[in-house]
Amino acid sequence: SPTAQTNFNTAMSGDGFSHKAVPDSGFSLFLADQTRKVHFIRHAEGFHNAETEKTGSNYCLLRPEGKAASEHPLYDSRLTPKGVDQAVSLRKIL
């Protein structure tokens, strides 16, 4: 109801509470205007993703026994052209 909404909006008016002061715990939900938003993004398409999609399994990611991971052709895969486009598109909206 409009009355309930008005009461909700003014419920803390005049109570002397200041959201600018950091509490002893160092954390406050009322510090939103002093915080940063962090977006966690997994990643865009890499060559390893394209290869697993092409082969239909993750077996292409296995390395031969006795070989170092860094010797695998997909080790530290870079983004495919599609992945670069995905990253550029995402950057535009963030």
Side-chain angles (χ1 to χ4, degrees):
S1 75
T3 304
Q5 186 65 35
T6 302
N7 290 341
F8 175 77
N9 290 337
T10 60
M12 294 182 1
S13 294
D15 67 358
F17 180 78
S18 171
H19 70 280
K20 297 289 184 191
V22 178
D24 292 339
S25 68
F27 178 78
S28 173
L29 294 176
F30 298 101
L31 295 175
D33 61 334
Q34 299 175 19
T35 60
R36 295 183 185 264
K37 185 182 289 187
V38 178
H39 298 272
F40 291 93
I41 301 164
R42 187 171 160 259
H43 60 74
E45 182 186 75
F47 283 101
H48 63 297
N49 301 118
E51 190 65 22
T52 57
E53 188 174 323
K54 184 174 107 179
T55 62
S57 76
N58 287 333
Y59 289 115
C60 62
L61 301 178
L62 297 176
R63 59 188 164 148
E65 193 170 327
K67 295 275 187 174
S70 59
E71 295 179 63
H72 193 286
L74 294 172
Y75 175 76
D76 197 22
S77 285
R78 301 295 184 229
L79 296 178
T80 63
K82 177 182 176 181
V84 172
D85 289 343
Q86 290 170 333
V88 169
S89 295
L90 184 59
R91 182 179 184 188
K92 290 176 184 175
I93 63 171
L94 292 181

Coordinates of all heavy atoms in Angstrom, one line a residue:
S1 N 0.8 -1.2 0.0 CA 0.0 0.0 0.0 C 0.9 1.2 0.0 O 2.0 1.2 0.5 CB -0.9 0.0 1.2 OG -0.2 0.3 2.4
P2 N 0.4 2.4 -0.5 CA 1.2 3.6 -0.5 C 1.6 4.0 0.9 O 2.8 4.5 1.1 CB 0.2 4.7 -1.1 CG -0.8 3.9 -1.8 CD -0.9 2.6 -1.1
T3 N 0.8 3.8 1.9 CA 1.2 4.2 3.3 C 2.3 3.3 3.8 O 3.3 3.8 4.3 CB 0.0 4.0 4.2 OG1 -1.1 4.8 3.7 CG2 0.4 4.5 5.6
A4 N 2.3 2.0 3.5 CA 3.4 1.1 3.9 C 4.6 1.5 3.2 O 5.7 1.5 3.8 CB 3.0 -0.3 3.6
Q5 N 4.6 1.9 1.9 CA 5.7 2.3 1.2 C 6.3 3.5 1.8 O 7.5 3.7 1.9 CB 5.4 2.5 -0.3 CG 6.6 2.7 -1.2 CD 7.6 1.6 -1.3 OE1 7.2 0.4 -1.2 NE2 8.8 1.8 -1.3
T6 N 5.5 4.5 2.1 CA 6.0 5.8 2.7 C 6.7 5.5 4.0 O 7.7 6.0 4.3 CB 4.8 6.7 2.9 OG1 4.2 7.0 1.6 CG2 5.3 8.0 3.5
N7 N 6.1 4.6 4.9 CA 6.7 4.3 6.1 C 8.0 3.6 5.9 O 8.9 3.8 6.7 CB 5.7 3.4 6.9 CG 4.5 4.2 7.4 OD1 4.5 5.4 7.5 ND2 3.5 3.4 7.8
F8 N 8.1 2.7 5.0 CA 9.3 2.0 4.7 C 10.4 3.0 4.3 O 11.5 3.0 4.8 CB 9.1 1.0 3.6 CG 10.4 0.3 3.2 CD1 10.9 -0.7 4.0 CD2 11.1 0.6 2.0 CE1 12.1 -1.3 3.6 CE2 12.2 0.0 1.6 CZ 12.8 -1.0 2.5
N9 N 10.1 4.0 3.4 CA 11.0 4.9 2.9 C 11.5 5.9 4.0 O 12.6 6.5 3.9 CB 10.5 5.7 1.7 CG 10.3 4.9 0.5 OD1 11.0 3.9 0.3 ND2 9.4 5.3 -0.4
T10 N 10.7 6.1 5.0 CA 11.1 7.1 6.1 C 11.4 6.4 7.4 O 11.6 7.1 8.4 CB 10.0 8.1 6.3 OG1 8.8 7.4 6.6 CG2 9.7 8.9 5.0
A11 N 11.5 5.1 7.4 CA 11.6 4.4 8.7 C 12.9 4.7 9.4 O 12.9 4.8 10.6 CB 11.6 2.9 8.4
M12 N 14.0 5.1 8.7 CA 15.2 5.4 9.4 C 15.5 6.9 9.4 O 16.5 7.3 9.9 CB 16.4 4.7 8.8 CG 16.2 3.2 9.0 SD 17.5 2.1 8.4 CE 18.7 3.0 7.7
S13 N 14.6 7.7 8.9 CA 14.7 9.2 8.9 C 14.8 9.7 10.3 O 14.0 9.3 11.2 CB 13.6 9.9 8.2 OG 13.6 9.5 6.8
G14 N 15.8 10.5 10.6 CA 15.9 11.2 11.9 C 16.4 10.3 13.0 O 16.4 10.7 14.2
D15 N 17.0 9.1 12.7 CA 17.5 8.2 13.7 C 18.9 8.5 14.1 O 19.5 7.8 14.9 CB 17.2 6.7 13.4 CG 18.1 6.3 12.2 OD1 18.8 7.1 11.6 OD2 18.0 5.1 11.9
G16 N 19.5 9.4 13.4 CA 20.9 9.8 13.7 C 21.9 8.8 13.1 O 23.2 9.0 13.3
F17 N 21.5 7.8 12.3 CA 22.4 6.9 11.7 C 23.2 7.5 10.6 O 22.6 8.2 9.7 CB 21.7 5.6 11.2 CG 22.6 4.6 10.6 CD1 23.3 3.8 11.4 CD2 22.7 4.5 9.2 CE1 24.1 2.8 10.8 CE2 23.5 3.6 8.6 CZ 24.2 2.7 9.4
S18 N 24.5 7.3 10.5 CA 25.3 7.9 9.4 C 26.0 6.7 8.7 O 26.7 5.9 9.3 CB 26.4 8.8 10.0 OG 27.3 9.1 8.9
H19 N 25.6 6.5 7.4 CA 26.2 5.5 6.7 C 27.6 5.8 6.1 O 28.3 5.0 5.5 CB 25.3 5.0 5.5 CG 25.2 6.0 4.4 ND1 24.4 7.1 4.5 CD2 25.9 6.1 3.2 CE1 24.5 7.9 3.4 NE2 25.4 7.3 2.6
K20 N 28.1 7.0 6.4 CA 29.5 7.4 6.0 C 30.6 6.9 6.9 O 31.7 6.8 6.5 CB 29.6 8.9 5.8 CG 28.6 9.5 4.8 CD 29.1 9.1 3.4 CE 28.2 9.8 2.4 NZ 28.4 9.4 1.1
A21 N 30.2 6.6 8.1 CA 31.2 6.1 9.1 C 31.4 4.6 8.9 O 30.5 3.8 8.8 CB 30.7 6.4 10.5
V22 N 32.7 4.2 8.9 CA 33.0 2.8 8.7 C 32.9 2.1 10.1 O 33.5 2.6 11.1 CB 34.4 2.6 8.1 CG1 34.7 1.1 8.1 CG2 34.5 3.2 6.8
P23 N 32.1 1.0 10.2 CA 32.0 0.4 11.5 C 33.3 -0.3 11.9 O 34.2 -0.5 11.1 CB 30.8 -0.6 11.3 CG 30.8 -0.9 9.8 CD 31.3 0.4 9.2
D24 N 33.4 -0.7 13.2 CA 34.6 -1.3 13.7 C 34.9 -2.6 12.9 O 36.1 -2.9 12.8 CB 34.4 -1.7 15.2 CG 34.4 -0.4 16.1 OD1 34.9 0.6 15.6 OD2 33.9 -0.5 17.2
S25 N 33.9 -3.3 12.5 CA 34.2 -4.5 11.7 C 34.8 -4.2 10.3 O 35.4 -5.1 9.7 CB 32.9 -5.3 11.5 OG 32.0 -4.5 10.6
G26 N 34.7 -3.0 9.9 CA 35.3 -2.6 8.6 C 34.3 -2.9 7.4 O 34.7 -2.7 6.3
F27 N 33.2 -3.4 7.7 CA 32.2 -3.8 6.6 C 30.9 -3.2 6.9 O 30.4 -3.2 8.1 CB 32.1 -5.3 6.5 CG 31.1 -5.7 5.5 CD1 31.5 -5.7 4.1 CD2 29.9 -6.1 5.8 CE1 30.6 -6.1 3.2 CE2 28.9 -6.5 4.9 CZ 29.3 -6.5 3.5
S28 N 30.2 -2.7 5.9 CA 28.9 -2.2 6.1 C 28.1 -2.3 4.8 O 28.7 -1.9 3.7 CB 28.9 -0.7 6.5 OG 27.6 -0.2 6.5
L29 N 26.9 -2.7 4.8 CA 26.1 -2.8 3.6 C 25.7 -1.4 3.1 O 25.2 -1.2 2.0 CB 24.8 -3.6 3.8 CG 25.1 -5.1 4.1 CD1 23.7 -5.8 4.4 CD2 25.7 -5.7 2.9
F30 N 25.9 -0.4 4.0 CA 25.5 1.0 3.7 C 26.6 1.8 3.1 O 26.5 3.0 2.9 CB 25.0 1.6 5.0 CG 23.8 1.0 5.6 CD1 23.9 0.1 6.7 CD2 22.5 1.1 5.0 CE1 22.8 -0.5 7.2 CE2 21.4 0.5 5.5 CZ 21.5 -0.3 6.6
L31 N 27.7 1.1 2.7 CA 28.8 1.8 2.0 C 28.8 1.7 0.5 O 29.8 1.8 -0.1 CB 30.1 1.3 2.6 CG 30.3 1.6 4.1 CD1 31.6 0.9 4.6 CD2 30.4 3.1 4.4
A32 N 27.6 1.4 0.0 CA 27.5 1.1 -1.5 C 28.1 2.2 -2.3 O 28.7 2.0 -3.4 CB 26.1 0.8 -1.8
D33 N 27.9 3.5 -1.9 CA 28.3 4.6 -2.7 C 29.8 4.7 -2.6 O 30.4 5.5 -3.4 CB 27.6 5.9 -2.3 CG 27.9 6.3 -0.9 OD1 28.1 5.4 0.0 OD2 27.8 7.5 -0.6
Q34 N 30.5 4.0 -1.8 CA 31.9 4.1 -1.6 C 32.6 2.8 -2.1 O 33.8 2.6 -1.7 CB 32.3 4.4 -0.1 CG 31.7 5.7 0.3 CD 32.0 5.9 1.8 OE1 32.8 5.2 2.4 NE2 31.2 6.8 2.4
T35 N 31.9 1.9 -2.7 CA 32.5 0.6 -3.2 C 32.6 0.6 -4.7 O 32.1 1.4 -5.4 CB 31.6 -0.5 -2.7 OG1 30.3 -0.4 -3.2 CG2 31.5 -0.6 -1.2
R36 N 33.2 -0.4 -5.1 CA 33.4 -0.7 -6.6 C 32.7 -2.0 -6.9 O 32.6 -2.9 -6.1 CB 34.9 -0.8 -7.0 CG 35.6 0.4 -6.8 CD 37.1 0.2 -7.2 NE 37.9 1.3 -6.9 CZ 38.1 2.3 -7.8 NH1 37.6 2.3 -9.0 NH2 38.9 3.3 -7.5
K37 N 32.2 -2.0 -8.1 CA 31.5 -3.2 -8.6 C 32.6 -4.1 -9.3 O 33.3 -3.6 -10.2 CB 30.4 -2.9 -9.6 CG 29.6 -4.1 -10.0 CD 28.5 -3.7 -11.0 CE 27.4 -3.0 -10.4 NZ 26.3 -2.7 -11.3
V38 N 32.6 -5.3 -9.0 CA 33.6 -6.3 -9.6 C 32.8 -7.3 -10.4 O 31.9 -7.9 -9.9 CB 34.4 -7.0 -8.6 CG1 35.4 -8.0 -9.2 CG2 35.2 -6.0 -7.7
H39 N 33.1 -7.4 -11.7 CA 32.5 -8.4 -12.5 C 33.5 -9.6 -12.7 O 34.6 -9.4 -13.1 CB 32.2 -7.9 -13.9 CG 31.3 -6.7 -13.9 ND1 29.9 -6.9 -14.0 CD2 31.5 -5.4 -13.8 CE1 29.3 -5.7 -13.9 NE2 30.2 -4.8 -13.8
F40 N 33.0 -10.8 -12.4 CA 33.8 -12.0 -12.6 C 33.4 -12.6 -13.9 O 32.2 -13.0 -14.0 CB 33.7 -13.0 -11.4 CG 34.3 -12.5 -10.1 CD1 33.5 -11.8 -9.2 CD2 35.6 -12.7 -9.9 CE1 34.1 -11.3 -8.1 CE2 36.2 -12.2 -8.7 CZ 35.4 -11.5 -7.8
I41 N 34.3 -12.7 -14.8 CA 34.0 -13.2 -16.1 C 35.0 -14.4 -16.4 O 36.2 -14.3 -16.2 CB 34.3 -12.2 -17.2 CG1 33.4 -11.0 -16.9 CG2 34.0 -12.7 -18.6 CD1 33.7 -9.7 -17.6
R42 N 34.4 -15.5 -16.7 CA 35.2 -16.8 -16.9 C 36.2 -16.5 -18.0 O 37.4 -16.5 -17.8 CB 34.3 -17.9 -17.2 CG 35.0 -19.2 -17.3 CD 33.9 -20.4 -17.4 NE 34.6 -21.6 -17.9 CZ 34.5 -22.0 -19.1 NH1 33.8 -21.4 -20.0 NH2 35.2 -23.1 -19.5
H43 N 35.8 -16.5 -19.2 CA 36.7 -16.1 -20.3 C 35.9 -16.3 -21.6 O 34.8 -16.8 -21.6 CB 37.9 -17.0 -20.4 CG 37.7 -18.5 -20.6 ND1 37.3 -19.0 -21.7 CD2 37.8 -19.5 -19.7 CE1 37.1 -20.3 -21.6 NE2 37.4 -20.6 -20.3
A44 N 36.4 -15.7 -22.7 CA 35.8 -15.9 -24.0 C 36.4 -17.2 -24.6 O 37.2 -17.9 -24.0 CB 36.2 -14.7 -24.8
E45 N 35.9 -17.5 -25.8 CA 36.3 -18.8 -26.4 C 37.8 -18.8 -26.7 O 38.4 -17.9 -27.3 CB 35.6 -19.0 -27.7 CG 36.0 -20.3 -28.4 CD 35.3 -20.5 -29.8 OE1 35.8 -19.8 -30.7 OE2 34.4 -21.2 -29.9
G46 N 38.5 -19.8 -26.3 CA 39.9 -20.1 -26.5 C 40.1 -21.2 -27.5 O 39.1 -22.0 -27.8
F47 N 41.3 -21.4 -28.0 CA 41.5 -22.5 -28.9 C 41.3 -23.8 -28.3 O 40.8 -24.8 -29.0 CB 43.0 -22.4 -29.5 CG 43.1 -21.3 -30.6 CD1 43.7 -20.1 -30.3 CD2 42.6 -21.5 -31.8 CE1 43.8 -19.1 -31.2 CE2 42.7 -20.6 -32.8 CZ 43.3 -19.4 -32.5
H48 N 41.5 -24.0 -27.0 CA 41.2 -25.2 -26.3 C 39.7 -25.5 -26.3 O 39.3 -26.7 -26.5 CB 41.8 -25.2 -24.9 CG 41.2 -24.2 -24.0 ND1 41.4 -22.8 -24.2 CD2 40.5 -24.3 -22.9 CE1 40.8 -22.2 -23.3 NE2 40.2 -23.0 -22.4
N49 N 38.9 -24.5 -26.2 CA 37.4 -24.6 -26.2 C 37.0 -25.1 -27.6 O 36.1 -26.0 -27.7 CB 36.7 -23.3 -25.9 CG 37.0 -22.8 -24.5 OD1 37.5 -21.7 -24.4 ND2 36.8 -23.5 -23.4
A50 N 37.5 -24.4 -28.6 CA 37.2 -24.8 -30.0 C 37.5 -26.2 -30.3 O 36.8 -26.9 -31.0 CB 37.8 -23.8 -30.9
E51 N 38.7 -26.6 -29.8 CA 39.2 -28.0 -30.1 C 38.3 -29.0 -29.4 O 37.9 -30.1 -30.0 CB 40.6 -28.2 -29.7 CG 41.3 -29.4 -30.1 CD 41.4 -29.6 -31.6 OE1 41.4 -28.6 -32.3 OE2 41.5 -30.7 -32.1
T52 N 37.9 -28.8 -28.2 CA 37.0 -29.8 -27.5 C 35.6 -29.8 -28.1 O 35.0 -30.9 -28.2 CB 36.9 -29.4 -26.0 OG1 36.4 -28.1 -25.8 CG2 38.2 -29.6 -25.2
E53 N 35.2 -28.7 -28.6 CA 33.9 -28.7 -29.3 C 34.0 -29.4 -30.7 O 33.1 -30.2 -31.0 CB 33.5 -27.2 -29.6 CG 32.0 -27.1 -30.2 CD 31.6 -25.7 -30.3 OE1 31.9 -24.9 -29.4 OE2 30.8 -25.4 -31.3
K54 N 35.1 -29.3 -31.3 CA 35.3 -29.9 -32.6 C 35.4 -31.4 -32.5 O 34.9 -32.2 -33.2 CB 36.6 -29.4 -33.3 CG 36.9 -29.9 -34.7 CD 38.1 -29.2 -35.3 CE 39.3 -30.1 -35.3 NZ 40.5 -29.5 -35.8
T55 N 36.2 -31.9 -31.4 CA 36.4 -33.3 -31.2 C 35.2 -34.0 -30.4 O 35.1 -35.2 -30.4 CB 37.7 -33.6 -30.5 OG1 37.7 -33.0 -29.2 CG2 38.9 -33.1 -31.3
G56 N 34.4 -33.2 -29.7 CA 33.3 -33.7 -28.9 C 33.7 -34.3 -27.6 O 32.9 -34.9 -26.9
S57 N 35.0 -34.0 -27.2 CA 35.4 -34.5 -25.9 C 36.6 -33.7 -25.4 O 37.1 -32.8 -26.1 CB 35.9 -36.0 -25.9 OG 37.1 -36.1 -26.5
N58 N 37.0 -34.0 -24.1 CA 38.1 -33.3 -23.6 C 39.4 -34.0 -23.7 O 40.5 -33.6 -23.2 CB 37.9 -33.0 -22.1 CG 36.9 -31.9 -21.8 OD1 36.7 -31.0 -22.7 ND2 36.2 -32.0 -20.7
Y59 N 39.4 -35.2 -24.4 CA 40.6 -36.0 -24.6 C 41.7 -35.3 -25.3 O 42.9 -35.5 -25.0 CB 40.3 -37.3 -25.3 CG 39.5 -38.3 -24.5 CD1 38.2 -38.6 -24.8 CD2 40.0 -38.8 -23.3 CE1 37.4 -39.5 -24.0 CE2 39.2 -39.7 -22.5 CZ 37.9 -40.0 -22.9 OH 37.2 -40.8 -22.1
C60 N 41.4 -34.3 -26.1 CA 42.4 -33.6 -26.8 C 43.2 -32.7 -25.9 O 44.3 -32.2 -26.2 CB 41.8 -32.7 -27.9 SG 40.6 -31.5 -27.3
L61 N 42.7 -32.5 -24.7 CA 43.4 -31.7 -23.7 C 44.4 -32.5 -22.9 O 45.3 -31.9 -22.1 CB 42.5 -31.0 -22.8 CG 41.4 -30.1 -23.4 CD1 40.5 -29.5 -22.4 CD2 42.1 -29.0 -24.2
L62 N 44.3 -33.8 -23.0 CA 45.3 -34.7 -22.2 C 46.7 -34.6 -22.8 O 46.8 -34.6 -24.0 CB 44.8 -36.1 -22.2 CG 43.4 -36.4 -21.5 CD1 43.0 -37.8 -21.6 CD2 43.5 -36.0 -20.0
R63 N 47.6 -34.6 -22.0 CA 49.0 -34.6 -22.5 C 49.6 -36.0 -22.4 O 49.2 -36.8 -21.5 CB 49.9 -33.7 -21.7 CG 49.9 -34.0 -20.2 CD 50.6 -33.0 -19.4 NE 50.3 -33.2 -18.0 CZ 51.1 -32.9 -17.0 NH1 52.2 -32.4 -17.2 NH2 50.7 -33.1 -15.8
P64 N 50.5 -36.3 -23.3 CA 51.1 -37.7 -23.3 C 51.8 -37.9 -22.0 O 52.4 -36.9 -21.4 CB 52.1 -37.7 -24.4 CG 51.6 -36.6 -25.3 CD 50.9 -35.6 -24.4
E65 N 51.8 -39.1 -21.5 CA 52.5 -39.4 -20.2 C 54.0 -39.1 -20.3 O 54.6 -39.3 -21.3 CB 52.4 -40.9 -19.9 CG 52.8 -41.3 -18.5 CD 52.4 -42.7 -18.1 OE1 51.4 -43.2 -18.6 OE2 53.2 -43.3 -17.3
G66 N 54.5 -38.5 -19.3 CA 55.9 -38.1 -19.2 C 56.2 -36.7 -19.9 O 57.3 -36.2 -19.8
K67 N 55.2 -36.1 -20.5 CA 55.4 -34.8 -21.1 C 55.0 -33.7 -20.2 O 54.0 -33.8 -19.4 CB 54.6 -34.7 -22.4 CG 55.0 -35.6 -23.5 CD 56.1 -35.0 -24.3 CE 56.4 -35.9 -25.5 NZ 57.4 -35.3 -26.3
A68 N 55.7 -32.6 -20.2 CA 55.3 -31.4 -19.4 C 54.1 -30.8 -20.0 O 53.8 -30.8 -21.2 CB 56.4 -30.4 -19.4
A69 N 53.3 -30.2 -19.1 CA 52.1 -29.5 -19.6 C 52.4 -28.5 -20.6 O 51.7 -28.2 -21.6 CB 51.3 -28.9 -18.4
S70 N 53.5 -27.8 -20.4 CA 53.9 -26.7 -21.3 C 54.3 -27.2 -22.7 O 54.4 -26.4 -23.6 CB 55.1 -25.9 -20.7 OG 56.2 -26.8 -20.6
E71 N 54.4 -28.5 -22.9 CA 54.7 -29.1 -24.2 C 53.4 -29.4 -25.0 O 53.5 -29.7 -26.2 CB 55.5 -30.3 -24.1 CG 56.9 -30.1 -23.5 CD 57.7 -31.4 -23.3 OE1 57.9 -32.1 -24.4 OE2 58.0 -31.8 -22.2
H72 N 52.3 -29.3 -24.4 CA 51.0 -29.5 -25.1 C 50.7 -28.4 -26.0 O 50.9 -27.2 -25.7 CB 49.9 -29.7 -24.1 CG 48.6 -30.3 -24.7 ND1 47.8 -29.6 -25.5 CD2 48.1 -31.5 -24.5 CE1 46.8 -30.3 -25.8 NE2 47.0 -31.5 -25.3
P73 N 50.3 -28.7 -27.3 CA 50.0 -27.6 -28.2 C 48.9 -26.6 -27.8 O 48.9 -25.5 -28.3 CB 49.6 -28.3 -29.5 CG 49.4 -29.7 -29.1 CD 50.1 -30.0 -27.8
L74 N 48.0 -27.1 -26.9 CA 47.0 -26.2 -26.4 C 47.3 -25.6 -25.0 O 46.4 -24.9 -24.4 CB 45.6 -27.0 -26.3 CG 45.1 -27.4 -27.7 CD1 43.9 -28.3 -27.5 CD2 44.8 -26.2 -28.5
Y75 N 48.5 -25.7 -24.6 CA 48.9 -25.2 -23.3 C 48.8 -23.7 -23.3 O 49.2 -23.0 -24.3 CB 50.4 -25.6 -23.0 CG 50.9 -24.9 -21.7 CD1 50.5 -25.4 -20.4 CD2 51.8 -23.9 -21.8 CE1 51.0 -24.8 -19.3 CE2 52.3 -23.3 -20.6 CZ 51.9 -23.8 -19.4 OH 52.4 -23.2 -18.3
D76 N 48.2 -23.1 -22.3 CA 48.0 -21.6 -22.3 C 47.4 -21.1 -23.5 O 47.9 -20.1 -24.1 CB 49.4 -20.9 -22.0 CG 49.2 -19.5 -21.5 OD1 48.1 -19.2 -21.0 OD2 50.2 -18.7 -21.6
S77 N 46.3 -21.7 -23.9 CA 45.7 -21.3 -25.2 C 45.3 -19.9 -25.2 O 44.8 -19.3 -24.2 CB 44.4 -22.2 -25.4 OG 44.7 -23.4 -25.8
R78 N 45.4 -19.3 -26.4 CA 45.0 -17.9 -26.6 C 43.5 -17.9 -27.1 O 42.9 -18.9 -27.3 CB 45.9 -17.3 -27.7 CG 47.3 -17.3 -27.3 CD 47.6 -16.4 -26.1 NE 49.0 -16.3 -25.8 CZ 49.5 -16.5 -24.6 NH1 48.7 -16.8 -23.6 NH2 50.8 -16.4 -24.4
L79 N 43.0 -16.7 -27.2 CA 41.6 -16.6 -27.7 C 41.6 -16.8 -29.2 O 42.5 -16.4 -29.9 CB 41.1 -15.2 -27.3 CG 40.9 -14.8 -25.9 CD1 40.4 -13.4 -25.7 CD2 40.0 -15.8 -25.2
T80 N 40.5 -17.4 -29.6 CA 40.2 -17.5 -31.0 C 39.7 -16.2 -31.5 O 39.4 -15.3 -30.7 CB 39.1 -18.6 -31.3 OG1 37.9 -18.1 -30.7 CG2 39.5 -19.9 -30.8
P81 N 39.7 -16.0 -32.9 CA 39.1 -14.7 -33.3 C 37.7 -14.5 -32.8 O 37.3 -13.3 -32.4 CB 39.1 -14.9 -34.9 CG 40.2 -15.8 -35.1 CD 40.2 -16.8 -34.0
K82 N 36.9 -15.5 -32.7 CA 35.6 -15.4 -32.1 C 35.7 -15.0 -30.6 O 34.9 -14.1 -30.1 CB 34.8 -16.8 -32.1 CG 33.5 -16.7 -31.5 CD 32.8 -18.1 -31.5 CE 31.5 -18.2 -30.8 NZ 30.9 -19.5 -30.8
G83 N 36.6 -15.5 -29.9 CA 36.9 -15.1 -28.5 C 37.3 -13.7 -28.3 O 36.9 -13.0 -27.4
V84 N 38.1 -13.2 -29.3 CA 38.5 -11.8 -29.2 C 37.3 -10.9 -29.5 O 37.1 -9.9 -28.8 CB 39.6 -11.5 -30.3 CG1 39.8 -10.0 -30.4 CG2 40.9 -12.2 -30.0
D85 N 36.4 -11.3 -30.4 CA 35.2 -10.5 -30.7 C 34.3 -10.5 -29.4 O 33.7 -9.5 -29.1 CB 34.4 -11.1 -31.9 CG 35.1 -10.8 -33.2 OD1 36.0 -9.9 -33.3 OD2 34.8 -11.5 -34.2
Q86 N 34.2 -11.7 -28.8 CA 33.4 -11.8 -27.5 C 33.9 -10.8 -26.5 O 33.2 -10.1 -25.8 CB 33.4 -13.2 -27.0 CG 32.6 -14.2 -27.9 CD 32.8 -15.6 -27.4 OE1 33.9 -16.0 -26.8 NE2 31.9 -16.5 -27.7
A87 N 35.2 -10.8 -26.3 CA 35.8 -9.9 -25.3 C 35.6 -8.4 -25.6 O 35.3 -7.6 -24.7 CB 37.3 -10.2 -25.2
V88 N 35.8 -8.1 -26.9 CA 35.6 -6.7 -27.3 C 34.1 -6.3 -27.1 O 33.8 -5.2 -26.6 CB 36.0 -6.5 -28.8 CG1 35.5 -5.2 -29.3 CG2 37.5 -6.6 -28.9
S89 N 33.2 -7.2 -27.4 CA 31.8 -6.9 -27.2 C 31.4 -6.7 -25.8 O 30.7 -5.8 -25.4 CB 30.9 -8.0 -27.8 OG 31.1 -8.1 -29.2
L90 N 32.0 -7.6 -24.9 CA 31.7 -7.5 -23.5 C 32.3 -6.2 -22.9 O 31.7 -5.5 -22.1 CB 32.3 -8.7 -22.8 CG 32.0 -8.8 -21.3 CD1 30.5 -8.9 -21.0 CD2 32.7 -10.0 -20.7
R91 N 33.5 -5.8 -23.4 CA 34.1 -4.6 -22.9 C 33.2 -3.4 -23.1 O 33.1 -2.4 -22.3 CB 35.5 -4.4 -23.6 CG 36.2 -3.2 -23.1 CD 37.5 -3.0 -23.7 NE 38.2 -1.9 -23.1 CZ 39.3 -1.4 -23.6 NH1 39.9 -2.0 -24.6 NH2 39.9 -0.4 -23.0
K92 N 32.5 -3.4 -24.3 CA 31.7 -2.3 -24.6 C 30.5 -2.1 -23.6 O 30.0 -1.0 -23.5 CB 31.1 -2.4 -26.0 CG 32.2 -2.3 -27.1 CD 31.6 -2.6 -28.5 CE 32.7 -2.5 -29.5 NZ 32.1 -2.9 -30.9
I93 N 30.0 -3.2 -23.0 CA 28.9 -3.1 -22.2 C 29.2 -3.0 -20.7 O 28.4 -2.7 -19.9 CB 27.9 -4.2 -22.4 CG1 28.5 -5.6 -22.0 CG2 27.3 -4.2 -23.8 CD1 27.5 -6.7 -22.0
L94 N 30.5 -3.2 -20.4 CA 30.9 -3.1 -19.0 C 31.3 -1.7 -18.7 O 32.0 -1.0 -18.5 CB 32.0 -4.1 -18.6 CG 31.5 -5.5 -18.6 CD1 32.7 -6.5 -18.3 CD2 30.4 -5.8 -17.7

